[in-house]
Amino acid sequence: LMRLQRQLAKVKLLIIDELGFVPLSKTGAELLFELISQRYERGSTLITSNLPFEEWTETFGTERLTGALLDRLTHHVNILEMNGESYRLSQSRARLAAANK
């Protein structure tokens, strides 16, 4: 685990996709916080989530941990908020429409 943490802390860009899709265990939340803390101001991290920041506490379990994590993540950040139809849904509809022609 320590070796993996060191490796992830060193990568130039860490991508975490679908954060919050499944709530983290207490240990998982603490490990992710530790990783983000190790990378803070040292490497780029890209995170995708369908949840607004206000709902991240449900994923991380405590307001204190969530607040500390968001503090680090939002310090030097570009937030891209995208609202719209799912590209997967639009592709499925296009396939269905093509099949029905």
Side-chain angles (χ1 to χ4, degrees):
L1 179 60
M2 297 298 287
R3 184 175 47 183
L4 176 62
Q5 283 180 308
R6 283 192 300 272
Q7 289 173 341
L8 291 175
K10 291 178 185 178
V11 298
K12 291 182 181 182
L13 173 62
L14 176 66
I15 300 173
I16 301 170
D17 190 29
E18 294 287 347
L19 183 67
F21 187 71
V22 176
L24 299 171
S25 67
K26 182 179 186 300
T27 302
E30 290 169 356
L31 287 170
L32 184 57
F33 173 78
E34 188 175 321
L35 175 62
I36 297 298
S37 295
Q38 290 169 350
R39 296 183 53 75
Y40 177 63
E41 295 189 327
R42 292 187 188 109
S44 298
T45 304
L46 185 145
I47 298 176
T48 68
S49 178
N50 289 328
L51 299 176
F53 290 143
E54 299 82 37
E55 294 180 27
W56 281 28
T57 302
E58 295 171 24
T59 298
F60 291 98
T62 68
E63 287 185 28
R64 194 171 121 239
L65 181 63
T66 304
L69 179 73
L70 285 172
D71 184 57
R72 285 157 180 78
L73 287 175
T74 59
H75 184 215
H76 302 291
V77 68
N78 292 310
I79 298 174
L80 304 175
E81 189 171 339
M82 296 178 222
N83 294 315
E85 188 173 299
S86 163
Y87 75 91
R88 291 180 186 108
L89 180 58
S90 59
Q91 286 178 347
S92 295
R93 287 181 177 159
R95 277 194 306 273
L96 183 60
N100 289 330
K101 286 186 177 181

